[in-house]
């Protein structure tokens, strides 16, 4: 052990020497620009970090007990394994960081760790049989690892409980130490432990990926030998036989005959090139890389060899020398190499869309992703053909691909094994303490920054008996672009304890790649959850696992036994979830994030680096007052707001509840990247928190803009970010006080908020625009619903503005007459409607001549009585002043038709009487005026609004509907004529002025006008036909006829007039007036017809008077008489024939017999009315209607039958009154006196008398038919 301490002391001295070399600046690359300005430094300080960091130190409290410190570390799967300077091994579960197992493996510092298989397998249902088998085997306590460890504190501690038997725990852990030992221990089986001593400090160890089968591992150290150890018995301590041929040979042949101790076989694969500090087995197990003082070596292993090439096992592939620089000659043996095989499927994405830090993409990444020729961007997906390894050594980083070799022969046979390809070599200005690939194009480097040569003299403090310098700087995490070989962001300094005294070898970096959840993995998720939610629950809630029905520990045992065993199965550092252990340390939230996790260890600290989440990006933006970007981020990624239930970033309940356990998810969820996650169950609460955050950040954004004077953008931002009434009220007042109404008004909400925005805010804005901008006022009233504000104050403001006098119908604004007046009136009308005052609104629209809205209001609210005070303006709704001056009558009529018809309809209803219309129109326009004429004509013809609707009926209307409509129209027209008659003289003047045809109709149909006035008007206007009618109406027919003859010269009219009057003296006057007028004589001959005697007309023609066309007139007259005679004769013949046919038909009917049945009751009854006029009743056919008795063959009464098939007993018929209402009481006695049925009497006289009496009885017809006819 003394030699081991000397070796350790020598190593520390060499490291101190390396520190001095580094401080002198011999390893700094010429990339750093020391002349950078202050501006550049400030920009770098403001650059957003690419990674976020969290300290896990306080979660690893047991690790640092007894002044222990970390010396080696690794993460894999769901495990973190840590080796300490005291030789202890801590196996922790991820993400809970709970201790699974702690054991004392060495007596000195642990130098390297390795596990097999790597990474650990995920649990599947197929592992259950193995779990049960092993659980049965673990019935006896495990032996101690070695006798050398018996005196350690860990060895004297109570027996730890067994490790939970889950699939991911079936691994072997190998550790090496400067005490010269290598310890290989199973995590689950206490018996499966092997300790092997190599006599010299061992710096590296690597277990075979198939160690459980081949029991082999590689190791190396100060001796410079790469040793392959195969075999070895579990539970024993053995000594290496490498280099001692006799011991190896004896062990071999004794073991062959069964007498050997099976201590294993050591084979030196390579030696003679200095100490070996790093050995790494590739992920596929095909290759091994190790680093010694001469360079980097690659070798083909014995795994996965082709059946025809067993000779390739443990053959070297390639060698890479260290850089040819002076410093490397001295420092190659000092710097500790760091090697990492890369699982490219677990890298963070690096395309242009996903290399952004929450929306902010760096320029270098964009350039890198855009370079198709960059070799490292060619991500190799077939891991069987290529594997990538990253090696950091000193100040240099190698990116190397190991490619499967191609077939070759002869000297090139080595190429058949594999081929090593250097992708790139990076030189840094630091010592690499850890390196890995973060994205396909970015390296993450743990940089040990060498002290500046100008630093003060280093101070020393004693540390474990040795002197360490106190001038080291803080370690840094750097992201380097492989294509540009430059850092993509400012390096992040890590705040670790006692960094001043630490060297580059004291730091370690390892990564936990993100696992993409494939369909196969998703299918396995159900199997993982069979045993209680997967490995996640094993680490966080083991009690649930081992107490469930799926647990092998509870199988076949009662609940009490299961509970006790559950407690014993837990690790010593893992309390029960339901226990009252106040010392339990909660899981850090950063360990629960998804995606790649970068773990950094120093001797006294553990730091976790992860990709910043949207929440981190959001917090950074807020801290840098980038409120716009922060708000947009929340809008696009609500999860950036974080969880409102978290009180701090690193505090969670120490005793998880069942609900929180479910929320943790399974191992697949933990390792999945951000894109594969689903929304949590408390999404609703999260969005509530998000909205609050958006409001908070939004108001800070608005305040920032207003301070900058960017009022327009601030207003637009208000419309985007403000969602509550209180926030809107505040900012509207801010804008109003700054007189920035134009900037905020377009964005004020036009819908009701909850709680609502106070109405005074809207009233303030509207009042401003009443005074300044009427166009904007109208736009706002159209956009804002009136229920958002109190319309009363706004109405008062508009009325006050109109009363001020500077805005009126004749005022001019921007070259437009009355523009503002019209805008204010329109706004006032809208507000009146909103305030439930449609009558006031109607008056405004009438003044504005807005006919459509005015007519709609009248129709909806029945406001015709409102227009009775201003009928002229109502009629002029659609008529402009220019039209009033120059438009033709047809245009005026069309424009005034709708209001006129409405007035006519209301006149019929009695709401607006014609007197009011006549009075107001006469007062404005006098007599005549066209609008009163339009009104009277519509009233006379019955043109109402309903009539206008009937004109638009479609052909689908039924005949009855059209008929009813026509009847209604006639009734309306009749009533309208009566209404016009009340103002007959006024209507007479208007019709005479504007409508002469209507004047004649009015004169003929109305009796209310004054004849003298009508005659005067007609004489003045020389309306002869109308005057003729008036003279005839007065009885002055001769004078009227004289006007027709003298003024009109129309013989046809004169003849028609004479025919209408039917006065013979008028014909004489007509003949007298016509005798000296040949055209009249000819007209009389042609048209007089039979009205006068043609002979008399011809005789009165003066002799010798020449009449043109006399012959033709006479021929026409004679022919007309002949035609009339022929027609008369034909009609007479037709009448005579029809009379003869009717008489013959009657005769046949009287002579025809009547058939009826006797003694048979018919099924179908008939309905008759009783002879006394009582209610109708039903009788059977074959019954007498009088007595309602059936006719029988032996009936002695005489039966009387009528053509209508009614049959009566003679007494029943005689009992009925005749059609004149006279009684027939005397007829029965007369019939009885006649013995007309005597069998021996041959006298015919009684029979004739009997028939005569019966004829008189039946001549009036059937009494029932006569009664129905009456």
């Amino acid at each position: 052990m003394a030699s081991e301490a000397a070796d350790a002391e020598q190593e520390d001295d060499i490291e101190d020497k390396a520190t001095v070399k580094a401080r002198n600046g011999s390893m700094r690359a010429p990339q750093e620009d020391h002349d950078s300005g202050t501006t550049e430094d400030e920009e770098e300080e403001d650059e957003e970090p690419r990674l976020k960091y969290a300290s896990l130190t306080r979660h690893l409290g047991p690790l640092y007990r007894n002044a222990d410190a970390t010396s080696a570390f690794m993460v894999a799967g769901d495990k973190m394994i840590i080796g300490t300077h005291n030789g202890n091994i801590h196996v922790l579960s991820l993400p809970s960081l709970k201790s699974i197992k702690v054991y004392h493996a060495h007596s000195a510092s642990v130098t390297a760790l390795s596990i097999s298989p790597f990474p650990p397998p995920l649990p599947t249902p197929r592992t259950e049989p193995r779990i049960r088998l092993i659980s049965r085997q673990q019935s006896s306590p495990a032996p101690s690892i070695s006798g050398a460890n018996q005196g350690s504190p860990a060895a004297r501690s109570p027996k730890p409980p067994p490790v939970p038997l889950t699939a991911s725990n079936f691994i072997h852990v190998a550790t090496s130490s400067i005490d010269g030992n290598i310890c290989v221990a199973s995590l689950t089986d206490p018996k499966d432990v092997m300790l092997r001593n190599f006599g010299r400090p061992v710096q590296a160890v690597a277990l075979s990926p198939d160690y459980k089968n081949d029991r082999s591992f590689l190791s190396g150290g100060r001796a410079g030998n790469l040793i392959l150890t195969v075999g070895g018995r579990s539970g024993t301590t053995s000594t290496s036989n490498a280099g001692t041929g006799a011991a190896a040979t004896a062990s071999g042949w004794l073991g062959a005959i069964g007498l050997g101790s099976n201590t294993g076989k050591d084979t030196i694969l390579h030696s003679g090139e200095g100490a070996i500090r790093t050995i790494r087995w590739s992920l596929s197990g095909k290759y091994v890389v190790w680093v010694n003082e001469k360079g980097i070596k690659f070798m083909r292993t014995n795994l996965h060899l082709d059946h025809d090439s067993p000779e390739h096992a443990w053959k070297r592939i390639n060698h890479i020398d260290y850089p040819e620089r002076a410093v490397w000659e001295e420092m190659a043996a000092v710097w500790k190499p760091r090697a990492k095989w890369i699982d490219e499927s677990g890298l963070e994405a690096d395309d242009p869309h996903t290399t952004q830090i929450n929306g902010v993409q760096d320029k270098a990444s964009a350039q890198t992703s855009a370079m198709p020729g960059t070799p490292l961007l060619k991500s190799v997906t077939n891991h069987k053909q290529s594997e990538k390894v990253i090696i950091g050594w000193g100040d240099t980083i190698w990116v190397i691909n190991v490619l499967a070799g191609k077939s070759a022969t002869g000297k090139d046979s080595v190429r058949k094994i594999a081929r090593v390809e250097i992708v790139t070599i990076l030189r840094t200005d630091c010592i690499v303490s850890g390196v890995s690939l973060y994205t396909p194009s970015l390296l993450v480097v743990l940089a040990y920054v060498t002290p500046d040569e100008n630093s003060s003299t280093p101070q020393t403090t004693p540390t474990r008996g040795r002197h360490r310098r106190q001038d080291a700087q803080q370690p840094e995490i750097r992201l380097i672009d492989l294509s540009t070989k430059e850092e993509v962001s400012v390096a992040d300094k890590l705040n670790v304890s006692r960094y001043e005294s630490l060297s580059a070898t004291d730091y370690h970096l390892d990564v936990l790649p993100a696992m993409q959840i494939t369909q196969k993995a998703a299918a396995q998720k159900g199997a993982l959850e069979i045993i209680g939610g997967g490995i996640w629950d094993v680490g966080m809630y083991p009690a649930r696992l081992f107490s469930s029905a799926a647990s092998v520990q509870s199988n076949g045992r009662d609940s009490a036994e299961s509970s006790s065993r559950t407690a014993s199965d837990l690790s010593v550092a893992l309390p029960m979830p339901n226990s009252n252990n106040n010392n339990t340390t909660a899981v850090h939230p950063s360990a629960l994030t998804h995606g790649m996790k970068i773990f950094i260890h120093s001797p006294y600290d553990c730091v976790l680096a992860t990709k910043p989440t949207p929440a981190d990006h959001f917090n950074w933006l807020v801290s840098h007052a980038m409120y716009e970007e922060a708000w947009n981020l929340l809008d696009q990624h609500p999860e950036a707001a974080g969880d409102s239930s978290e009180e701090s970033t690193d505090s969670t309940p120490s005793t998880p509840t069942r609900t929180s356990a479910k929320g943790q998810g399974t191992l697949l969820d933990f390792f999945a990247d951000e894109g594969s996650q689903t929304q949590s169950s408390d999404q609703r609460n999260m969005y509530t928190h998000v909205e609050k955050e958006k409001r908070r950040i939004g108001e800070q954004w608005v305040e920032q803009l207003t301070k900058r004077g960017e009022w327009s953008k601030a207003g637009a931002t208000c419309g985007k970010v403000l969602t509550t009434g209180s926030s809107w009220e505040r900012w509207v007042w801010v804008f109003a006080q700054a007189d920035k109404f134009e900037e905020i008004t377009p964005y004020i909400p036009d819908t009701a908020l909850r709680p609502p925005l106070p109405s005074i805010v809207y009233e303030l804005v509207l009042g401003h625009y009443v005074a300044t901008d009427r166009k904007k006022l109208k736009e706002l009233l159209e956009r804002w619903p009136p229920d958002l504000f109190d319309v009363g104050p706004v109405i008062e403001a508009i009325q006050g503005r109109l009363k001020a006098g500077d805005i009126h119908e004749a005022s001019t604004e921007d070259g437009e007459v009355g523009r503002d007046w019209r805008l204010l009136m329109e706004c006032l009308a809208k507000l009146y409607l909103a305030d439930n005052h449609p009558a006031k609104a109607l008056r405004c629209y009438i003044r504005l001549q807005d006919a459509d809205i005015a007519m709609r209001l009248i129709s909806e609210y029945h406001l015709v009585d409102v227009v009775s005070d201003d009928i002229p303006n109502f009629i002029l709704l659609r008529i402009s002043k220019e039209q009033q001056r120059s438009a033709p009558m047809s245009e005026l009529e069309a424009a005034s038709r709708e209001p006129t018809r409405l007035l006519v309809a209301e006149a019929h209803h009695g709401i607006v009487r014609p007197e009011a219309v006549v009075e107001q129109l006469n007062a404005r326009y006098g007599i005549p005026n066209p609008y009163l004429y339009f009104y009277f004509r519509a009233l006379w013809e019955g043109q109402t609004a309903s009539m206008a609707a009937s004109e638009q009926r479609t052909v689908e209307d039924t005949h009855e509907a059209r008929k009813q409509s026509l009847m209604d129209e006639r009734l309306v027209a009749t009533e309208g004529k009566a209404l016009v008659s009340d103002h007959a003289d006024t209507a007479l003047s208007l019709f005479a002025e504007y409508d002469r045809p209507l004047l004649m109709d009015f004169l003929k149909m109305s009796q209310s006008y004054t004849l003298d006035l009508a005659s005067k008007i007609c004489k003045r206007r020389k309306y002869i036909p109308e005057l003729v009618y008036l003279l005839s109406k007065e009885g002055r027919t001769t004078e009227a006829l004289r006007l027709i003859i003298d003024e009109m010269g129309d013989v046809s009219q004169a003849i028609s007039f004479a025919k209408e009057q039917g006065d013979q003296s008028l014909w004489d006057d007509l003949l007298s007036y016509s005798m000296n007028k040949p055209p009249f004589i000819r007209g009389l001959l042609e048209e007089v017809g039979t009205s006068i005697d043609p002979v008399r007309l011809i005789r009165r023609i003066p002799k010798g008077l020449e009449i043109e066309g006399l012959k033709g007139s006479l021929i026409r007259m004679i022919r007309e008489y002949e035609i009339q005679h022929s027609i008369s004769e034909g009609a007479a013949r037709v009448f005579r024939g029809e009379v003869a046919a009717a008489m013959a038909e009657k005769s046949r009917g009287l002579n025809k017999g009547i058939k009826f049945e006797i003694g048979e009751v018919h099924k179908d009854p008939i309905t008759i009315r009783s002879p006394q006029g009582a209610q109708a009743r039903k009788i059977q056919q074959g019954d007498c209607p009088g007595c309602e008795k059936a006719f029988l063959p032996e009936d002695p009464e005489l039966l009387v039958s009528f053509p209508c098939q009614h049959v009566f007993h003679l007494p029943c018929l005689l009992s009925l009154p005749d059609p004149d209402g006279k009684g027939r009481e005397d007829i029965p006695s007369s019939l009885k006196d006649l013995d007309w049925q005597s069998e021996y009497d041959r006298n015919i006289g009684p029979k004739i008398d009997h028939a005569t009496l019966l004829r008189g009885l039946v001549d009036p017809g059937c009494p029932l038919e006569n009664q129905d006819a009456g």
Side-chain angles (χ1 to χ4, degrees), residues 417-440:
I417 303 175
R419 178 167 56 90
V420 175
E421 177 183 272
I422 300 177
V423 177
T424 186
I425 300 177
L426 301 177
R427 182 184 175 190
T428 67
D429 60 349
C430 62
I431 298 176
V432 179
S433 293
V435 65
S436 184
L437 206 57
Y438 182 58
T439 71

Side-chain angles (χ1 to χ4, degrees), residues 960-1258:
E960 291 75 9
R962 291 195 297 272
K963 183 177 179 181
Q964 183 63 36
S965 176
L966 292 175
M967 293 177 62
D968 294 341
E969 291 174 7
R970 292 192 187 100
L971 292 175
V972 171
T974 302
E975 186 179 353
K977 290 178 174 62
L979 294 174
V980 174
S981 297
D982 297 338
H983 306 275
D985 292 342
T986 303
L988 179 66
S989 301
L990 293 172
F991 294 158
E993 178 71 25
Y994 298 107
D995 197 341
R996 186 176 175 183
L998 184 58
L999 175 62
M1000 178 60 78
D1001 293 340
F1002 177 73
L1003 293 175
K1004 290 180 179 179
M1005 299 181 67
S1006 178
Q1007 305 296 328
S1008 302
Y1009 56 87
T1010 304
L1011 289 175
D1012 292 340
L1013 177 61
S1015 298
K1016 290 179 182 180
I1017 293 175
C1018 292
K1019 287 179 180 179
R1020 185 175 69 251
R1021 296 180 177 275
K1022 296 184 179 181
Y1023 290 167
I1024 302 304
E1026 290 81 1
L1027 187 57
V1028 168
Y1029 174 77
L1030 291 173
L1031 291 175
S1032 64
K1033 193 172 183 180
E1034 294 177 2
R1036 299 156 61 183
T1037 55
T1038 302
E1039 184 178 352
L1041 183 60
R1042 174 66 66 178
L1043 285 174
I1044 294 173
I1045 296 173
D1046 295 339
E1047 298 294 336
M1048 299 176 62
D1050 189 349
V1051 64
S1052 299
Q1053 180 69 23
I1055 294 171
S1056 298
F1057 180 74
K1059 288 181 179 180
E1060 289 176 1
Q1061 299 301 319
D1063 187 357
Q1064 188 61 37
S1065 62
L1066 197 60
W1067 284 107
D1068 295 337
D1069 293 339
L1070 178 58
L1071 292 176
S1072 300
Y1073 295 150
S1074 304
M1075 288 302 101
N1076 58 351
K1077 299 177 178 63
F1080 269 75
I1081 296 174
R1082 189 183 63 189
L1084 287 171
L1085 291 174
E1086 292 177 353
E1087 299 183 16
V1088 72
T1090 58
S1091 299
I1092 60 175
D1093 186 1
V1095 177
R1096 178 185 172 192
L1097 173 60
I1098 294 172
R1099 287 179 178 176
R1100 295 193 62 175
I1101 297 174
K1103 293 181 180 180
L1105 181 64
E1106 184 177 354
I1107 302 173
E1108 186 178 356
L1110 178 61
K1111 180 179 179 181
S1113 299
L1114 292 173
I1115 292 173
R1116 180 178 176 180
M1117 183 182 65
I1118 295 170
R1119 185 175 298 165
E1120 184 178 349
Y1121 268 90
E1122 289 179 352
I1123 291 172
Q1124 289 181 356
H1125 179 71
S1126 175
I1127 291 173
S1128 298
E1129 286 187 350
R1133 285 196 298 270
V1134 171
F1135 290 154
R1136 286 194 295 269
E1138 289 181 354
V1139 170
M1143 294 298 292
E1145 182 68 23
K1146 181 179 180 181
S1147 177
R1148 285 194 299 271
L1150 294 174
N1151 295 330
K1152 185 171 62 174
I1154 303 301
K1155 179 182 179 182
F1156 58 91
E1157 300 292 339
I1158 297 177
E1160 181 180 354
V1161 178
H1162 296 276
K1163 294 181 180 180
D1164 298 329
I1166 60 174
T1167 302
I1168 65 170
R1169 188 183 303 170
S1170 66
Q1172 290 77 18
Q1175 188 176 3
R1177 63 184 188 276
K1178 295 182 179 180
I1179 64 172
Q1180 298 293 335
Q1181 294 183 6
D1183 293 352
C1184 174
C1187 62
E1188 300 183 8
K1189 295 180 179 180
F1191 301 122
L1192 301 175
E1194 63 274 8
D1195 198 336
E1197 299 295 339
L1198 184 64
L1199 301 180
V1200 180
S1201 176
F1202 292 93
C1204 61
Q1205 298 186 357
H1206 288 149
V1207 183
F1208 293 86
H1209 292 108
L1210 181 57
C1212 296
L1213 180 62
L1214 295 177
S1215 63
L1216 297 175
D1218 61 7
D1220 296 334
K1222 298 179 181 179
R1224 300 173 177 173
E1225 294 81 1
D1226 56 338
I1227 295 180
S1229 60
S1230 300
L1231 289 174
K1232 293 178 180 179
D1233 294 340
L1234 296 176
D1235 188 12
W1236 61 281
Q1237 289 181 329
S1238 175
E1239 184 178 356
Y1240 303 102
D1241 190 359
R1242 296 181 180 272
N1243 240 339
I1244 198 171
K1247 293 182 181 180
I1248 293 175
D1249 294 339
H1250 186 271
T1252 301
L1253 290 174
L1254 288 179
R1255 178 180 294 277
L1257 179 63
V1258 300

Side-chain angles (χ1 to χ4, degrees), residues 47 75 105 181 209 379 472 554 609 655 683 734 737 742 771 830 905 954 957 994 1014 1109 1165 1173 1226-1227 1269:
E47 183 180 355
V75 289
N181 292 327
S379 178
S554 62
T655 304
Q683 181 181 12
V734 170
Q737 291 173 359
E742 291 292 335
K830 290 180 180 293
T954 59
D957 290 344
Y994 298 107
D1226 56 338
I1227 295 180

Side-chain angles (χ1 to χ4, degrees), residues 29-65:
Q31 301 175 2
E32 196 172 332
D33 186 4
H34 298 284
D35 298 331
S36 300
T38 306
T39 304
E40 182 179 352
D41 294 340
E42 293 177 355
E43 291 178 356
E44 290 180 353
E45 290 178 1
D46 290 339
E47 183 180 355
E48 183 176 3
R50 289 292 191 103
L51 296 171
K52 73 167 184 176
Y53 301 90
S55 175
L56 304 181
T57 303
R58 72 185 189 88
H59 298 271
L60 304 176
L63 177 67
Y64 305 110
R65 292 175 182 170

